Amino acid sequence: MAQTNYNTPQSAAKTLWYDNLRVIATIGVIGIHVSSDYQPSSGSISEYSFWIGNIFDSLSRFSVPVFVMLSGALLLSKEYPIGVFLKKRLMRLVIPFLFWSCIYIAKSLWDMHDEGVLLTPYSIAREIFVQFRDGSSLHFWYIYMIVGVYLFIPIIGKWVRNSTEKEQLYFLGIWAFTIVFGQPIIEKLKPDIELSYFSGFLGYLVLGYYLKNKTFKSRKQQNTLALSFLFAGLLSTISGTYLILRFKHEYASTFYECLSPNILLYSMGIFLLLKDKDIRFRPFVKVRDFICRYSYGIFLVHVLIFFQLGDYGINWQLIDPIVGIPVTILVCLVISSAIIFVVNKLPYGKYISG
């Protein structure tokens, strides 16, 4: 890892840690969908399989918050005219999404046809409308969420760039309060104060900006804090999910939710641990740069690949979950990357590959 001078401005070389975070978050998203495949069967599988699935799933849950934090770190520092921002940033997000939504919808209609569902022009039009409205794939909720967050960036960016650290902490403190009191076990204790203006994924956007600019006395202090957050968040996610199953005898994703205190701590730990650090091993650098370049496209297409792999028996149950989960993640990542690479090379492919 490269050494960081905490008393000098951030140089261009140090921004490579953004790429490192983006890559592990991309792999993490795939990890969520591969490892969480055990959930519907969690009441009937062996305790060993549950623990393996729970550990891998918990390990992956930093990914969505880190993606939003990266957006805050990268976008809130710059001032864009609203028209330029919408064209330069938002459209780059939306156009590939619309293309791949059409692919998922076409696959869904084809599957309905194979299952013997009678498709009429009206039912097809209705299905297309519903899927565009609600999301044509289980992971597209993220796009609908991040579009809403992006729309607010030109507004909140002006505030955050002119705010003091104390003012940012004021916002983040109230946001953390809404997360804690938004948990099922204690939400009844929440005061009847309207705090929705401080809630949701917007907090991760501001948190990413804040942590990017936060300076520490030493690398040791930063790493100690990062590891404390990381292990506290990760261990509580793993153990909390198990305890719900143990005492309620049913699976619940409460501790996997992005807006939960444990995932907040875990995501902060990951972000701080990789902040201002780079990798120098050249083969890793090449892989990182490749995945980073096509990360959005990989995100868009990977669920399609994941379900196809499942049809061929490549999933968490392959041989043993401790083997099946990482192997499925790797295969899904490689195939998704290859598809996006090829699409990107086609005429106009760069506009839809992500």
Side-chain angles (χ1 to χ4, degrees), residues 60 253 259:
S60 304
S253 62
L259 296 173

mmCIF file of all heavy atoms in Angstrom, residues 60 253 259:
data_model
loop_
_atom_site.group_PDB
_atom_site.id
_atom_site.type_symbol
_atom_site.label_atom_id
_atom_site.label_comp_id
_atom_site.label_asym_id
_atom_site.label_seq_id
_atom_site.Cartn_x
_atom_site.Cartn_y
_atom_site.Cartn_z
ATOM 1 N N SER A 60 -20.808 -9.066 2.123
ATOM 2 C CA SER A 60 -21.082 -8.327 0.891
ATOM 3 C C SER A 60 -21.932 -7.089 1.097
ATOM 4 O O SER A 60 -22.086 -6.283 0.171
ATOM 5 C CB SER A 60 -21.795 -9.252 -0.114
ATOM 6 O OG SER A 60 -21.045 -10.421 -0.357
ATOM 7 N N SER A 253 -34.270 -10.266 7.088
ATOM 8 C CA SER A 253 -33.112 -9.528 6.547
ATOM 9 C C SER A 253 -32.839 -8.235 7.311
ATOM 10 O O SER A 253 -32.137 -7.367 6.808
ATOM 11 C CB SER A 253 -33.343 -9.215 5.068
ATOM 12 O OG SER A 253 -34.490 -8.383 4.914
ATOM 13 N N LEU A 259 -29.882 0.634 5.475
ATOM 14 C CA LEU A 259 -30.143 1.685 6.466
ATOM 15 C C LEU A 259 -30.336 1.055 7.836
ATOM 16 O O LEU A 259 -31.396 1.149 8.454
ATOM 17 C CB LEU A 259 -31.360 2.507 6.046
ATOM 18 C CG LEU A 259 -31.181 3.281 4.740
ATOM 19 C CD1 LEU A 259 -32.491 3.922 4.301
ATOM 20 C CD2 LEU A 259 -30.094 4.347 4.876
#
